[in-house]
Amino acid sequence: MIVFDLKCGTGHVFEAWFGSSDAYETQRAGGLIQCPMCGDGDVGKAVMAPNVAAKGNQSAPVAPQAVKAAMAAIAEMQTKMLEKSQWVGTAFADKARAMHLGETPQAPIHGQTTADEAQALVEEGVPVAPLLVPIVPPEACN
């Protein structure tokens, strides 16, 4: 069996399995292959990347610069989001709960809490999420 990425005349790309390359050519020449999304019969092979297995039980290494770039992008996005949020320190759980209950106005906040307090907030339905990149509290900055 062989798998090909195919592309129809309208641009849909899809996968199809054939017994051999000759079987694909025979079916294509006979007009038996159609796009499953639009029914177009003008189908040909799409450009596809080869699937080359790694040696033995090794996996291909992730380029360190790619990981660093991804982490930098996440940190930059988080920093931009936190600029619009108020640091509330260790009062985070109390303030988030008060906003959820309507006791105080809604506002974007961030701060510190324990894992148990965070779990309690989640169980109460308070919409909270951990920061992906650790931050330094403002009072600890020079």
Side-chain angles (χ1 to χ4, degrees):
M1 294 296 281
I2 188 167
V3 65
F4 290 123
D5 282 345
L6 304 178
K7 186 174 183 178
C8 73
T10 59
H12 297 122
V13 177
F14 58 97
E15 232 179 49
W17 288 81
F18 299 93
S20 65
S21 291
D22 290 338
Y24 161 75
E25 291 298 338
T26 301
Q27 290 181 33
R28 187 186 62 77
L32 300 175
I33 304 173
Q34 292 183 341
C35 175
M37 290 164 260
C38 67
D40 186 4
D42 179 21
V43 175
K45 290 182 185 177
V47 177
M48 53 190 279
N51 185 8
V52 179
K55 179 181 175 185
N57 63 353
Q58 298 174 352
S59 60
V62 176
Q65 63 272 23
V67 173
K68 287 180 183 178
M71 289 302 297
I74 290 170
E76 182 180 348
M77 181 61 71
Q78 178 176 293
T79 299
K80 287 181 182 178
M81 292 174 64
L82 291 179
E83 288 173 357
K84 301 171 187 165
S85 178
Q86 178 189 6
W87 169 259
V88 294
T90 57
F92 177 80
D94 293 334
K95 292 192 180 273
R97 187 174 286 113
M99 283 189 270
H100 179 69
L101 297 173
E103 297 169 357
T104 59
Q106 295 284 323
I109 61 170
H110 64 283
Q112 296 173 310
T113 191
T114 66
D116 289 340
E117 288 175 325
Q119 183 62 39
L121 290 171
V122 169
E123 290 171 0
E124 294 171 33
V126 180
V128 296
L131 294 176
L132 298 175
V133 180
I135 62 168
V136 176
E139 65 271 7
C141 294
N142 292 342

